[in-house]
């Protein structure tokens, strides 16, 4: 197969295609509501954007998505960063299916920042963050306002598993148009009607005649694309029967060969002429400043160049990274911390919020009086801050010449990184050309862009290209963790033990709102923290509405004022709300003397898809009822339109918690690539297992303890359980598989440990449980 092409275009291109934004009566009404005639004019103004793809020699661009070379290689632009989730296979696979291309001749090209790749789906989902005053406008079903905003801000962030939802439609349309143009070119050569031709395997076919895409590309590019594009009858979907043991995969991942042989290029692999290396020391998480260092510490080190000081960081420049790191160690930088956080302070703030805070009711169904006051069952659960533990540390390379910055960086938010780098140098974003690089695991860590600004300053000060790479210690120290939370779950059971009333009261910082102010407004971590103090945050308690039919149900958020800035993480709030809900429903089942599976099934008559996941997972795991010290625990969860159920087999011995087996069944709608989907669920389960057992440092003065991955009690390869994953065959729209496993594994393991030991574990990570 052709595999990845890692060259990318810069930030400047010629005028090109017109966007396909649809003008609707609803869009006009939204404009009127948002600001009268001026807003209507904004929504209705013509939309033209520069064509982002620059064809190389003997290449021809077909819109913003596809280039076809004279040798027949089809290059597909991918506007989402590859960080292990398989997007550099999924989107090209959709294009290949619709185009009729030969998978062996499909290549992938990271797309430059462009309004034509706006992620309107994520923009609508994050509307409360960028349009907090009127989020309903941006969340409107037709997505018109969100699309306009995303286009204007070149917003194509990779997050929340939105790649297929956001880009399948435009990618298919582009492929269908290109296919029609290739058919027109072939039909013109053969003097036949285009309708008489077929396209398959990278060939245009007609009654025994065939032509490869390559010789047709130049002529095809001269035709006008059809409107609307002639889509195939069926969208891309692979069938489970094709993935029986030993069956060949039709669409193997494009990134695998280069990852196996080491040629896949990450940000740290970039090499430029005359490039120097940089290491860095940064202040603790908090309000802090650089107070001093030994400026002469590196003078006798061969290859050392100089120190560069920032307001809350200092970097060393040298001919090699180790010399730069050694110089910093000798210089012993000192920081003055005006405001930092300790773990004890965080726990106290959560306790205070739960005891005396003002709850905001974010969800209410049924009779509020039925769940008012003290309910018969009330149980407290706790979740500590957790860090991402990425394999790759932050790295970026920058070259600053003649008022123009080039930036090679792995980031989930390319435009935000451009803006950050430009701001650090007093430039406009248009003066920054960003080359998107793959990421060695991110889990939302690379939504933060501080290193883009730092490497830009270093390149200016050095007068040479600079590559900045964080040490593991610095990566660990600067990570904003997932928010801590405390929940008091309360219920009023009926005579059979089923809850007729359910109240979740969750104390947590307004973590999503704070992230939004950092991300969209450029505020510092503590300024954002202070700005949202006391604000209710629906995204901070996502997933807290249980999947079960409960007549009277309420969810309250109590904003907690903690002095520890927090960030986004794979699974986000679902990583703890699923733990609260599924641990609680398991306790209700055991209090009622009911078998946990049947107890759940009795409340899922309204959701047969989730019920089937539970039944299938139980069968896969040979569920024995979760009693008699079986060590089996069950849990399920819903994220968007995705559903999952997991049965865990676990035990606790003198060596700690041991999970022997995880059996999972997911319903994620129509599956584009079974192999990638399976990898995502398996990876999510392992990542969630890490969060269940570790990933939680203690903080003192804004500094986490530990300096290595080994300090985080992560599961090693020997600790990883046997994993079985099955899928429900479905024709529903695709749902993201990447976060489902993260959310559901912790309660499944906690429930399994109760079955094995008779002890309830109500705090994450589980080994920190105070029994």
């Amino acid at each position: 197969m052709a595999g990845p092409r890692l060259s990318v275009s810069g930030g400047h291109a010629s005028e090109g295609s017109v966007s396909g934004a649809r003008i609707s009566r609803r869009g006009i009404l939204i404009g009127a509501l948002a600001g009268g005639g001026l807003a209507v004019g904004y929504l209705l103004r013509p939309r033209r954007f520069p064509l982002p793809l620059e064809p190389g020699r003997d290449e021809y661009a077909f819109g913003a998505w596809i280039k076809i070379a004279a040798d027949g290689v089809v290059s597909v632009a991918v506007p989402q960063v590859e960080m292990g989730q398989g997007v550099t296979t999924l989107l090209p696979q959709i294009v290949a299916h619709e185009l009729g291309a030969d998978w062996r001749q499909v290549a992938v090209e990271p797309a430059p920042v462009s309004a034509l790749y706006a992620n309107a789906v994520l923009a609508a989902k994050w509307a409360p963050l960028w349009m907090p005053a009127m989020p309903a406008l941006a969340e409107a079903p037709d997505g018109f306002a969100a699309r306009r905003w995303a286009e204007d801000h070149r917003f194509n962030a990779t997050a929340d598993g939105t790649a297929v939802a956001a880009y399948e439609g435009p990618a298919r349309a582009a492929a269908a148009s290109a296919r029609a143009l290739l058919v027109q070119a072939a039909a013109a050569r053969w003097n036949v009607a285009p309708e008489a031709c077929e396209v398959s395997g990278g060939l245009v076919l007609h009654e025994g005649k065939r032509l490869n895409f390559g010789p047709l590309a130049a002529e095809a590019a001269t035709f006008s694309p059809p409107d609307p594009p002639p889509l195939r009858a069926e969208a891309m979907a692979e069938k489970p029967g094709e993935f029986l043991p030993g069956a060949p995969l039709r669409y193997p991942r494009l990134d695998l060969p280069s990852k196996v042989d080491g040629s896949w290029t990450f940000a740290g692999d970039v090499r430029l002429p005359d490039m120097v290396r940089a290491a860095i020391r940064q202040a603790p998480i908090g309000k802090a400043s650089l107070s001093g260092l030994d400026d002469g510490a590196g003078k006798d080190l061969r290859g050392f160049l100089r120190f560069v000081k920032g307001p809350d960081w200092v970097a060393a420049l040298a001919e090699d990274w180790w010399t730069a790191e050694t110089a910093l160690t000798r210089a012993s930088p000192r920081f003055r911390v005006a405001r930092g956080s300790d773990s004890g302070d965080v726990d106290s703030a959560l306790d205070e919020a739960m005891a005396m805070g003002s709850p905001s009711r974010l969800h209410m169904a049924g009779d509020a009086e039925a769940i008012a006051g003290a309910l018969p069952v009330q149980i407290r659960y706790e979740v500590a801050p957790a860090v991402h533990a990425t394999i790759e540390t932050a790295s970026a390379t920058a070259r600053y010449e003649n008022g123009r910055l080039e930036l090679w960086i792995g980031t989930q938010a390319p435009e935000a990184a451009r803006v950050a780098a430009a701001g650090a140098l007093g430039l406009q974003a248009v003066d920054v050309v960003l080359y998107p690089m793959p990421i060695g695991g991110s889990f939302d860590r690379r939504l933060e862009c501080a290193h883009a600004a730092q490497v830009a300053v270093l390149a200016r000060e050095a007068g040479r290209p600079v590559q900045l790479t964080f040490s593991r210690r610095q990566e660990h120290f600067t990570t904003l963790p997932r928010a801590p939370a405390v929940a008091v779950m309360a219920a009023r059971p009926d005579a059979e033990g089923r809850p007729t009333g359910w109240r979740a009261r969750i104390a947590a910082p307004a973590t999503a709102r704070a992230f939004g102010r950092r991300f969209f407004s450029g505020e510092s971590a503590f300024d954002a923290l202070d700005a949202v103090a006391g604000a209710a945050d629906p995204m901070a308690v996502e997933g807290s509405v249980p999947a079960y039919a409960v007549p009277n149900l309420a969810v309250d958020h109590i904003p907690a004022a903690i002095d520890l800035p927090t960030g986004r993480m794979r699974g986000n709030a679902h990583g703890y709300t699923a733990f609260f809900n599924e641990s609680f429903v398991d306790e209700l089942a055991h209090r009622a003397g009911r078998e946990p599976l049947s107890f759940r099934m009795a409340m899922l008559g309204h959701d047969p898809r989730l019920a089937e996941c539970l039944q299938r997972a139980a069968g896969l795991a040979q569920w024995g009822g979760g009693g008699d010290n079986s060590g089996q625990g069950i849990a399920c969860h819903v994220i968007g339109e995705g559903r999952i159920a997991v049965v865990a087999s676990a035990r606790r011995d003198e060596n700690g918690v041991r999970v022997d087996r995880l059996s999972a069944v997911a319903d994620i709608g129509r599956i584009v690539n079974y192999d990638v989907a399976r990898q995502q669920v398996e990876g999510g389960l392992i990542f969630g297992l890490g969060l269940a057992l570790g990933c939680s440092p203690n903080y003192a003065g804004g500094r986490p303890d530990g300096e290595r991955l080994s300090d985080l009690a992560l599961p090693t390869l020997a600790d990883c359980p046997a994993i079985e994953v099955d899928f429900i065959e479905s024709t529903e729209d695709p749902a993201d598989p990447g976060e489902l496993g993260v959310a559901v594994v912790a309660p499944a393991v906690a429930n399994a440990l109760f079955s094995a030991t008779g002890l309830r574990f109500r705090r994450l990570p589980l080994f920190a449980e105070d029994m």
Side-chain angles (χ1 to χ4, degrees):
M1 70 189 69
R5 289 186 171 183
L6 294 177
S7 60
V8 298
S9 306
H12 306 282
S14 59
E15 285 295 322
S17 61
V18 180
S19 84
R22 179 172 58 88
I23 308 269
S24 66
R25 180 175 180 273
R26 179 180 181 87
I28 295 173
L29 291 175
I30 286 173
L33 287 171
L38 288 177
V40 173
Y42 159 74
L43 289 171
L44 299 183
R45 75 184 192 273
R47 311 288 282 174
R48 293 189 63 85
F49 304 109
L51 186 65
L53 291 187
E54 293 183 356
R57 183 177 180 180
D58 294 328
E59 282 190 328
Y60 304 89
F62 293 81
W65 289 89
I66 299 168
K67 293 190 299 187
I68 300 178
D71 61 2
V73 172
V74 177
S75 296
V76 181
V78 175
Q80 301 275 274
V81 65
E82 177 61 70
M83 48 189 179
Q85 82 278 34
V87 70
T88 49
T89 294
L90 291 175
L91 293 183
Q93 180 180 339
I94 290 166
V95 168
H97 170 77
E98 187 65 47
L99 181 61
D102 182 346
W103 188 243
R104 294 168 299 180
Q105 288 192 288
V106 174
V108 58
E109 179 171 321
V113 176
S114 169
L116 290 171
Y117 305 121
N119 189 340
V121 173
L122 185 62
K125 187 172 183 180
W126 283 7
L129 306 183
W130 59 265
M131 198 177 186
M134 305 178 74
L137 295 181
E139 293 173 328
D142 62 7
F144 190 77
R147 173 161 294 282
R148 281 300 176 101
W149 179 90
E151 289 173 347
D152 284 347
H153 293 81
R154 297 175 295 279
F155 177 76
N156 68 324
T158 304
D160 288 5
T162 53
V164 173
Y167 298 113
E168 181 181 30
R172 281 191 70 197
S177 290
R179 171 168 44 81
L181 297 177
L182 291 166
V183 166
Q184 288 184 54
R189 289 194 184 190
W190 295 327
N191 197 26
V192 300
E195 295 78 11
C197 299
E198 297 179 358
V199 181
S200 177
L203 301 169
V204 182
L205 309 169
H206 176 71
E207 294 182 354
K209 297 188 290 290
R210 61 181 61 196
L211 280 171
N212 186 280
F213 288 175
L216 294 171
E219 186 177 352
T222 65
F223 289 99
S224 297
D227 186 15
L231 296 173
R232 294 185 185 274
E234 297 295 332
M236 180 70 236
E238 293 190 328
K239 304 300 180 184
E242 298 173 355
F243 292 88
L244 297 172
L249 300 182
R250 288 193 299 147
Y251 296 99
R253 287 183 61 148
L254 290 176
D255 55 344
L256 278 186
S258 55
K259 286 183 176 177
V260 170
D261 66 22
S263 61
W264 185 259
T265 304
F266 294 95
D269 297 319
V270 171
R271 297 293 181 265
L272 299 177
D274 200 33
M275 185 177 77
V276 301
R277 270 63 168 193
I280 196 168
R281 293 287 188 277
Q282 307 189 64
I285 298 173
K287 284 193 172 180
S289 58
L290 179 67
S291 60
L293 76 158
D294 181 356
D295 288 291
K299 289 181 179 179
D300 61 343
L301 290 173
R302 183 177 179 181
F304 172 76
L305 300 175
R306 58 173 292 199
F307 292 114
V308 178
K309 301 175 185 177
D312 55 359
W313 56 269
V314 59
L317 301 177
E319 298 296 340
D320 64 88
W321 184 86
W322 187 249
T323 298
E325 177 70 11
T326 303
L328 283 173
T329 300
R330 292 186 179 184
S332 301
R334 299 175 297 281
F335 298 94
R336 181 179 297 107
V337 180
R339 183 179 172 189
S341 184
D342 297 338
S343 290
D345 297 334
V346 171
D347 292 341
S348 297
L350 291 169
D351 290 342
E352 182 179 349
M354 185 60 73
M356 298 183 293
S358 300
S360 295
R361 182 139 295 176
L362 301 181
H363 179 86
M364 180 68 225
D367 182 6
E369 291 298 320
I371 46 179
L375 300 184
V377 180
Q378 296 193 145
I379 302 175
R380 176 182 168 118
Y381 300 91
E382 301 175 358
V383 175
V387 295
H388 307 71
T390 62
I391 293 296
E392 181 191 26
T393 65
S395 184
T397 302
R399 177 165 55 198
Y400 181 66
E401 292 179 348
N402 303 318
R404 186 171 183 261
L405 180 75
E406 293 177 280
L407 183 63
W408 291 259
I409 189 170
T411 174
Q412 292 178 247
E415 184 64 7
R418 286 179 75 203
V419 170
L425 300 182
L427 302 176
Q428 298 297 316
V430 72
D431 296 318
V432 178
V433 179
L434 186 145
Y435 302 94
M437 306 301 295
I439 306 175
S442 174
F443 320 120
D444 283 357
R445 170 72 175 95
R446 303 294 174 232
L447 284 168
E448 308 289 345
C449 301
H451 61 306
Q454 291 165 342
V455 76
V457 171
L458 293 175
R460 181 188 62 190
E461 295 301 309
R464 297 165 60 181
V466 174
Q467 184 172 92
L468 170 65
T469 303
F470 284 21
S471 66
R472 173 60 58 188
R473 186 171 185 256
Q474 288 301 303
E475 177 69 33
H476 190 45
F477 281 4
T478 56
T479 295
L480 300 186
R482 184 184 69 182
V486 170
V488 173
M489 308 294 292
R492 189 182 302 281
D494 62 14
E496 296 182 354
R498 287 196 296 266
T500 59
W502 176 300
R503 186 182 67 221
R505 186 159 286 173
I506 302 172
T511 180
R513 289 190 181 277
F515 164 77
R517 297 186 75 95
R518 293 196 309 272
F519 188 88
F520 293 110
S521 301
E523 295 183 6
S524 69
F526 269 85
D527 287 344
L529 202 66
D530 292 340
V532 302
D537 187 350
M539 293 178 71
V541 294
E542 277 186 317
S544 53
V545 176
Y548 308 106
V550 180
N552 308 295
L553 172 67
V555 173
D556 298 337
H557 176 218
I558 308 174
I562 66 172
D563 257 0
L564 177 66
T566 56
R568 292 180 59 82
M569 177 183 281
R570 185 179 186 181
N572 291 293
H574 292 276
Y576 47 81
T577 56
F579 175 67
F580 300 154
N581 286 345
E582 287 300 295
S583 297
F584 187 51
V585 77
D586 214 69
E587 296 209 44
L588 292 176
H590 283 279
R591 283 171 178 260
R594 300 283 303 278
E595 186 267 325
L597 173 60
S598 61
F599 187 76
R600 288 172 168 85
M601 292 291 294
M603 297 185 288
L604 286 176
H606 65 292
D607 194 343
R609 294 174 66 187
L610 184 58
E612 186 177 0
C613 288
L614 275 167
Q615 288 179 316
R616 291 267 297 272
L620 193 64
Q622 299 180 319
W623 171 255
D628 300 325
N629 298 318
S630 68
Q632 284 189 319
I634 197 166
C636 61
H637 193 60
V638 176
I639 300 179
E641 290 302 312
R643 293 158 171 80
I644 191 169
V646 169
V647 175
S649 298
R651 52 191 164 88
R652 187 174 187 180
D653 55 27
E654 65 277 3
N655 296 318
V657 174
R658 177 78 179 181
V659 180
D660 297 313
R661 185 180 181 189
L662 294 172
S663 303
V665 175
D667 183 341
I668 57 171
R670 172 173 54 86
I671 297 177
V672 172
N673 187 304
Y674 264 80
D675 198 39
V676 170
R678 191 181 307 280
Q679 292 165 6
Q680 282 291 283
V681 174
E682 291 173 346
L685 290 170
I686 295 299
F687 188 81
L689 186 62
L691 294 174
L693 304 180
C695 289
S696 185
N698 291 311
Y699 288 85
R703 286 288 198 205
D705 60 3
E707 299 181 1
R708 300 177 177 86
L709 291 175
S710 58
D711 297 325
L712 294 175
L714 296 168
T716 65
L717 186 60
D719 299 324
C720 289
I723 298 177
E724 303 168 284
V725 177
D726 204 356
F727 295 100
I728 305 295
E729 190 170 354
S730 174
T731 58
E732 298 291 332
D733 288 340
D736 173 52
E739 301 191 343
L740 288 167
V742 178
V744 77
V745 68
V749 171
N751 294 337
L753 289 173
F754 170 75
S755 172
T757 67
L759 300 172
R760 280 289 176 190
F761 293 81
R762 300 187 178 117
R763 180 177 174 86
L764 292 181
L766 298 174
F767 74 81
E769 172 70 26
D770 182 9
M771 298 179 294

